[in-house]
Amino acid sequence: MYNAPTMKGYALEKIRDEARGIVVAILGQEAAEHIRVELPPPGIGADLAIPLFPLAKVLRRNPNEMASEVAEKVDPSGSYFDQISAAKGFVNFHFDWKQCNKLFFDDFLAAGDAYGSAGIGSGKTVVIDYSAPNIAKPFSVGHLRSTVIGQALYNILIFLGYTVIGDNHIGDWGTQFGKILAAYDRWGDEKALEESPTRALLDLYVRFHEDAAADPSLEVAAREWFAKLEAGDDKATQLWSRFRELSLREFERIYDLLGVSFDHTLGESFYNERLKDIVQQALDSGVAQWSTVPDKDEEGRVAGKGRASGEGGADDDGSAGGKGGTSEEKANVDATGGRDSANTGSRAETDGRTEAGGRTEAGGRTNTGSCAEAEVGDDEKVILIPLAKYDISAPLILQKSDGTSLYATRELATLEHRVAEWKPHEVLYVVGAEQSLYFTQFFKAIELLGIKVKCVHVPFGMIRLPEGRMSTRKGRVIFLEDLLSEAIERAGEIVKDRDLSDEEKQEIARLVGVAAVKYADLSQDRTKDIVFDWKKMMALEGNSGPYLQYAYTRAASIMRKSGEDDIGDLEDLDPSALTEDEETALLREIARFPEVIKQAAGDYKPNYIANYLFSLSQVFNRFYVNCAVLKAETPVLKDSRLALVAMTAYVIRKGLSLLGIDCPEKM
């Protein structure tokens, strides 16, 4: 039996530190801040590399000469390297594999099921604000990104030792509900509401906007209904509560399918009692003031300032949220601050107006009421936080002249609650990139108000489908449940001819279909727009969820056939027996897992893990093709290769689980 020592930090980190130290020792201490240790691409023949080009600029030296100087002066004996060479401005490091093999195995065996984790988050609490769908609106494709990115970050940070609180800050308050209540009062169908609540309510919402274009009295009725709701009218409150309950029930079904959960689902309405105090504190401190909104030009920009970010909002289901929108929509941007989310499409108002920087459904937050609420008359006095002297183009409005609160007011109340209740080290807002202005406004406001907590906007790009962009205000919405159902159906085609029971086929189809959708999102840099491509999403070759699941099942199948469960029990395991290029390449990839997780957490980018797992699976498949495992030449080689297979299976399964993706044992 192979015995591993107690783990004290991961070996690859120590090896990287030694490589860095070697270069600094030769070129001087000033080199330390200008060098980075890289993993060279395939074909270079080195295990680590340090490019000297940034340092060469600082020192005004030739990088080739510097690399040669390091290679000539250093003696690798006694280090983790058996060779250090120079090539075109790079210092290349070649592992002493007999030594490094043992170190990498020791890491894995000492950590066990915690391999890849770290205690860097110990004693720190992080609140993550993600998903946040709109009550009375269906869960559309536009909600996917915030939901799965937020859940992945939750999983990653938990694994690194943080205390993490997931808060689903649902949009359950605002003037939007006046419109829904007015529409239901006129055209509500009880049977349709029971059969499919959010779709029925969406139909009413769409009808309201269509009819309101010709009948302005509908807008008056909507305002009256919202006033009743705010005043606690029994009928309005009962309807609102019912819509909320029915919506949450539907959302939970989608969350279960996605494997997503939250610690809290409070919503905007939870904070209503705090709003007056928030506004009064802002006034008393001198941070906020009564004022008219600064003049805007014909394109909706604050006079003397550039166009606010977030212009045009998102397509109404958020599927393509961002800086798009028609020219007419762009011309109606309100530069008043706050998240825009008054419908399933963010731009819910009849004329397409949206306040600059407002959150949209594409941003994950679909909270109600902000865009209509922020529409104020030219001479109307409001309570706002002026931000012009901080080079922020629009003020943050907290309250209208009639006493109506805005989304930003509720956001401030939410943050105050989070700080008082959970005392977080950091609060992450997983919201679309088009909301950058809003968060610039909001973060400056909390600084001025003296709310001391680190807040981070974790932005992401738009979703597009090959068919093009979609709009829900006119009823053309792509429901996320429909997308997932189609993915599961397509996955069923992959396994329909396999020698499996019907129950196994159904379960595998569910796991593979959901994985395909989630991985298609999480494998992309979150800051970029993404396009769903069914062929790529469902492929068993290439960078897809099913490909990684298939790599895992291949490794799991080898382990089942071997009859071994715990690699620590392999009697003939000897890491030094692994000398083939495919073996050492696989072991080096496995050793990277811990640092990739930390990098993903540090940059809030789950795609680092996804792309790493794709690389690992490719390296494993080359190993699988070229290195016999169960029929290896010797018992030592068999057990050592089995250990590699088990380690690979663990890393793929664990890595996918951090992304919120489950693995079938068979495909």
Side-chain angles (χ1 to χ4, degrees):
M1 183 184 301
Y2 183 82
N3 293 312
T6 302
M7 180 181 165
K8 295 180 181 179
Y10 289 106
L12 190 57
E13 294 176 11
K14 300 173 186 175
I15 295 170
R16 283 180 179 271
D17 287 344
E18 184 172 82
R20 188 179 294 105
I22 286 171
V23 173
V24 171
I26 301 298
L27 298 179
Q29 190 59 43
E30 62 184 319
E33 61 182 285
H34 299 291
I35 61 175
R36 66 182 187 278
V37 184
E38 299 179 346
L39 187 73
I44 297 299
D47 298 300
L48 296 175
I50 295 180
L52 296 181
F53 306 101
L55 178 61
K57 284 186 177 181
V58 174
L59 299 182
R60 297 173 182 262
R61 292 187 57 188
N62 185 301
N64 296 331
E65 292 176 357
M66 294 167 64
S68 297
E69 180 184 350
V70 173
E72 290 167 4
K73 288 185 177 180
V74 71
D75 178 4
S77 60
S79 73
Y80 295 121
F81 312 106
D82 63 12
Q83 182 186 352
I84 299 173
S85 61
K88 298 180 179 179
F90 287 82
V91 180
N92 290 331
F93 296 83
H94 308 258
F95 290 167
D96 174 355
W97 274 107
K98 286 188 177 180
Q99 182 182 182
C100 291
N101 277 2
K102 182 178 184 305
L103 291 172
F104 295 150
F105 266 84
D106 288 350
D107 272 359
F108 189 89
L109 292 171
D113 287 341
Y115 180 69
S117 66
I120 61 175
S122 179
K124 298 177 181 178
T125 297
V126 177
V127 175
I128 307 181
D129 176 330
Y130 61 109
S131 191
N134 234 3
I135 292 300
K137 296 295 184 298
F139 211 117
S140 75
V141 172
H143 296 91
L144 180 67
R145 300 214 72 186
S146 176
T147 303
V148 299
I149 293 170
Q151 185 67 59
L153 292 175
Y154 183 102
N155 298 340
I156 292 165
L157 293 174
I158 284 280
F159 195 54
L160 292 177
Y162 291 88
T163 297
V164 185
I165 296 170
D167 188 2
N168 189 6
H169 189 63
I170 58 171
D172 64 354
W173 200 253
T175 54
Q176 172 189 355
F177 286 99
K179 298 178 181 184
I180 294 173
L181 290 168
Y184 189 80
D185 183 58
R186 293 193 179 205
W187 310 303
D189 183 330
E190 182 65 24
K191 183 179 178 181
L193 183 66
E194 284 294 331
E195 290 177 352
S196 183
T198 57
R199 297 194 188 205
L201 293 171
L202 173 65
D203 288 343
L204 289 174
Y205 193 74
V206 171
R207 181 174 179 180
F208 178 94
H209 279 284
E210 289 174 344
D211 288 17
D215 183 2
S217 69
L218 282 173
E219 296 287 353
V220 175
R223 287 193 290 272
E224 290 173 349
W225 271 103
F226 186 61
K228 291 179 184 180
L229 182 62
E230 287 197 306
D233 175 80
D234 285 345
K235 182 178 180 181
T237 301
Q238 287 173 9
L239 282 174
W240 170 83
S241 296
R242 187 174 178 218
F243 297 162
R244 187 181 192 277
E245 181 182 347
L246 290 172
S247 297
L248 288 175
R249 194 183 305 165
E250 286 204 14
F251 296 161
E252 197 58 40
R253 187 177 69 250
I254 305 298
Y255 290 137
D256 286 345
L257 189 57
L258 286 171
V260 169
S261 61
F262 305 90
D263 299 298
H264 300 277
T265 300
L266 299 179
E268 293 180 69
S269 62
F270 179 81
Y271 304 98
N272 282 345
E273 298 301 317
R274 293 172 170 258
L275 302 182
K276 289 183 179 179
D277 287 344
I278 288 284
V279 174
Q280 193 59 51
Q281 289 168 20
L283 286 170
D284 291 345
S285 66
V287 171
Q289 63 187 44
W290 283 97
S291 176
T292 55
V293 178
D295 291 338
K296 298 182 289 291
D297 65 18
E298 68 276 7
E299 291 197 0
R301 295 177 293 203
V302 176
K305 299 292 181 181
R307 182 183 296 279
S309 67
E311 58 189 355
D315 277 342
D316 286 343
D317 69 340
S319 57
K323 296 181 180 177
T326 65
S327 57
E328 290 79 14
E329 289 158 347
K330 288 181 179 178
N332 283 298
V333 174
D334 250 342
T336 50
R339 302 192 213 183
D340 115 32
S341 45
N343 76 340
T344 318
S346 10
R347 289 191 308 269
E349 301 320 307
T350 312
D351 64 354
R353 293 171 66 90
T354 174
E355 56 182 318
R359 283 200 192 182
T360 70
E361 206 164 295
R365 180 84 98 207
T366 57
N367 301 291
T368 62
S370 2
C371 70
E373 292 167 345
E375 291 174 10
V376 296
D378 291 339
D379 298 321
E380 181 180 352
K381 280 206 166 185
V382 298
I383 298 175
L384 56 76
I385 299 177
L387 299 170
K389 67 180 179 180
Y390 304 106
D391 293 325
I392 298 173
S393 62
L396 193 67
I397 299 180
L398 301 182
Q399 183 177 296
K400 293 178 64 177
S401 58
D402 61 3
T404 304
S405 66
L406 290 227
Y407 189 79
T409 328
R410 299 190 283 274
E411 187 91 89
L412 288 169
T414 302
L415 183 60
E416 275 203 346
H417 171 81
R418 289 167 174 167
V419 171
E421 189 75 15
W422 302 317
K423 298 175 175 58
H425 165 73
E426 189 172 61
V427 180
L428 306 182
Y429 294 87
V430 186
V431 182
E434 73 278 7
Q435 308 311 324
S436 295
L437 173 64
Y438 169 73
F439 282 105
T440 300
Q441 295 169 310
F442 181 68
F443 293 164
K444 175 54 71 172
I446 65 176
E447 176 189 330
L448 296 173
L449 291 168
I451 302 175
K452 299 186 182 304
V453 65
K454 179 182 178 183
C455 293
V456 179
H457 177 206
V458 180
F460 52 83
M462 299 182 283
I463 289 180
R464 299 176 186 273
L465 297 182
E467 292 78 10
R469 299 178 59 164
M470 298 151 290
S471 171
T472 55
R473 186 148 54 96
K474 297 181 179 178
R476 299 186 300 275
V477 58
I478 302 298
F479 299 115
L480 182 56
E481 189 171 19
D482 292 344
L483 183 75
L484 292 170
S485 295
E486 182 170 352
I488 292 169
E489 183 178 339
R490 288 172 181 257
E493 290 296 310
I494 296 175
V495 297
K496 69 177 183 180
D497 296 325
R498 305 292 169 94
D499 185 19
L500 300 164
S501 68
D502 288 344
E503 292 76 14
E504 286 177 315
K505 289 178 182 178
Q506 289 176 6
E507 178 63 8
I508 291 170
R510 182 185 68 81
L511 293 175
V512 172
V514 173
V517 172
K518 294 176 77 171
Y519 189 84
D521 186 321
L522 294 169
S523 61
Q524 307 298 314
D525 183 329
R526 60 170 169 75
T527 64
K528 308 296 184 184
D529 295 350
I530 63 172
V531 178
F532 276 152
D533 183 315
W534 282 115
K535 185 175 181 181
K536 290 180 180 178
M537 285 167 58
M538 306 303 301
L540 290 178
E541 298 291 338
N543 193 5
S544 71
Y547 173 76
L548 298 188
Q549 289 174 313
Y550 187 65
Y552 168 76
T553 60
R554 176 173 277 179
S557 175
I558 294 173
M559 296 309 298
R560 281 197 303 272
K561 291 175 182 177
S562 75
E564 299 288 352
D565 294 322
D566 187 348
I567 66 174
D569 294 334
L570 294 170
E571 295 291 339
D572 296 309
L573 170 59
D574 179 3
S576 66
L578 300 171
T579 58
E580 297 294 333
D581 288 346
E582 292 84 359
E583 295 167 335
T584 56
L586 182 55
L587 189 53
R588 184 177 59 230
E589 280 296 300
I590 292 169
R592 291 180 54 219
F593 187 47
E595 67 179 21
V596 171
I597 296 173
K598 287 201 290 187
Q599 290 166 355
D603 290 346
Y604 313 109
K605 288 192 173 184
N607 69 293
Y608 291 175
I609 294 175
N611 294 329
Y612 160 78
L613 292 175
F614 176 54
S615 175
L616 173 65
S617 297
Q618 289 180 305
V619 175
F620 172 68
N621 283 332
R622 287 194 289 271
F623 164 83
Y624 177 87
V625 169
N626 293 291
C627 300
V629 178
L630 299 177
K631 295 181 179 180
E633 293 88 339
T634 67
V636 169
L637 196 55
K638 176 185 174 182
D639 279 5
S640 301
R641 287 178 175 173
L642 271 175
L644 264 186
V645 173
M647 292 161 71
T648 302
Y650 165 86
V651 171
I652 294 175
R653 185 180 69 248
K654 176 60 73 176
L656 285 175
S657 76
L658 294 178
L659 300 179
I661 294 172
D662 294 324
C663 286
E665 293 298 316
K666 300 177 182 178
M667 275 180 71

